[in-house]
Amino acid sequence: MTTGCLFGLGLGPGDPELVTLKTLRLLRAAPVVAYPATEHGESFARRIVAQWLDRGQREIEIRFPMRPGPPLTAIYQKAAAELAALLDAGDDVAYLCQGDPLFYGSFAGILALLGARHRVVIVPGVSSLTACTAAASKPLVQRDETLSVISAGLPEDEIAARLNAADAAVIIKLGRHFAKLRGVLARLGLLDSAIYVERASLPNQRIAALATIDPASVPYFATALVRRRRFAG
Ligand SMILES: C[S@@+](CC[C@H](N)C(=O)[O-])C[C@H]1O[C@@H](n2cnc3c(N)ncnc32)[C@H](O)[C@@H]1O
């Protein structure tokens, strides 16, 4: 029997119109659809393509706790074992990835466990990085400038060092780290030009000067755009 293929499908930042034609075709053809979800809430990835899911498809939800800590090895291993059994039985599996599958996505953990033994096809998606700059209508890097992508979960000094080493930065995973980030930006004299983008491409998208944002209102799906020279435009 031929074994199934694992598809890592990039879904884009949230607007269903940013799902590619290729992802949509492969999603509709897959008998099994797997996706990450938070511990108790719904799956953002599933919500993006909910209108195209068909009741005949088997759905596998992989729940990841939203807490910091070491890599979630046990969750990845359990999910990979379940998907491997389906692939070995000949079923194709579509793994839904918000944004791009390999840009800070959980698909990287699944790929590490299944990539050596199974056929894998990865379809890139519009990542939050490009969705946020488009939403803000701000060019982030030009010519020979350097861009850094920084997780807001890093310690303050590390964020500062990485900001100092790049011409521009995208800072992701804001949520409860926002107040700390705001302090670092103020210390480096970057606060006044920093831009805040929340839920880019969705109807409730919010774009504002970062300095005006109440830390208590910041969700996980929010990103900061920073340039050491001022933004053009
Ligand atoms: C685990 S990363 C996943 C990134 C995703 N794979 C991608 O390609 O964009 C999650 C972080 O991406 C950023 N992000 C994802 N979607 C976003 C959106 N629609 N608007 C703003 N930020 C977003 C947020 O900073 C969030 O904390």
Side-chain angles (χ1 to χ4, degrees):
M1 186 197 296
T2 7
T3 57
C5 181
L6 174 65
F7 294 97
L9 301 182
L11 306 181
D15 177 354
E17 286 196 55
L18 293 175
V19 172
T20 64
L21 295 175
K22 184 160 189 165
T23 274
L24 187 53
R25 176 175 60 78
L26 293 170
L27 169 69
R28 283 175 152 159
V32 181
V33 178
Y35 43 81
T38 55
E39 207 161 7
H40 304 294
E42 66 166 341
S43 164
F44 186 9
R46 185 187 187 284
R47 190 164 19 119
I48 297 170
V49 290
Q51 63 183 301
W52 294 299
L53 293 177
D54 150 356
R55 292 216 181 104
Q57 286 172 305
R58 173 166 174 191
E59 295 192 29
I60 298 179
E61 193 169 53
I62 302 162
R63 294 202 172 269
F64 289 94
M66 294 289 286
R67 58 172 160 74
L72 308 162
T73 319
I75 295 174
Y76 277 114
Q77 281 173 345
K78 182 167 173 288
E82 189 174 3
L83 300 186
L86 291 160
L87 293 165
D88 287 339
D91 286 337
D92 288 343
V93 175
Y95 189 97
L96 306 184
C97 312
Q98 191 262 343
D100 179 82
L102 297 181
F103 183 71
Y104 296 90
S106 62
F107 187 69
I110 299 292
L111 180 65
L113 293 171
L114 297 181
R117 268 208 331 112
H118 296 86
R119 280 187 300 137
V120 178
V121 171
I122 301 173
V123 182
V126 175
S127 80
S128 54
L129 191 161
T130 49
C132 288
T133 53
S137 194
K138 296 287 182 195
L140 199 55
V141 270
Q142 297 290 303
R143 294 176 290 277
D144 54 358
E145 291 175 342
T146 304
L147 174 69
S148 187
V149 180
I150 304 172
S151 167
L154 290 172
E156 279 183 42
D157 286 350
E158 209 162 316
I159 294 175
R162 290 173 194 216
L163 282 168
N164 279 330
D167 297 300
V170 172
I171 303 155
I172 60 170
K173 306 186 183 184
L174 301 190
R176 64 202 166 79
H177 303 294
F178 182 82
K180 171 185 69 180
L181 172 67
R182 196 192 143 108
V184 176
L185 293 172
R187 181 151 61 88
L188 300 181
L190 296 170
L191 181 58
D192 289 343
S193 60
I195 298 168
Y196 172 87
V197 184
E198 173 183 317
R199 299 189 175 95
S201 85
L202 288 164
N204 56 349
Q205 146 182 302
R206 177 163 66 139
I207 300 158
L210 190 141
T212 64
I213 298 294
D214 171 7
S217 71
V218 176
Y220 175 72
F221 283 97
T223 294
L225 306 177
V226 177
R227 264 183 71 82
R228 278 148 64 74
R229 270 181 256 157
R230 293 195 81 80
F231 281 101

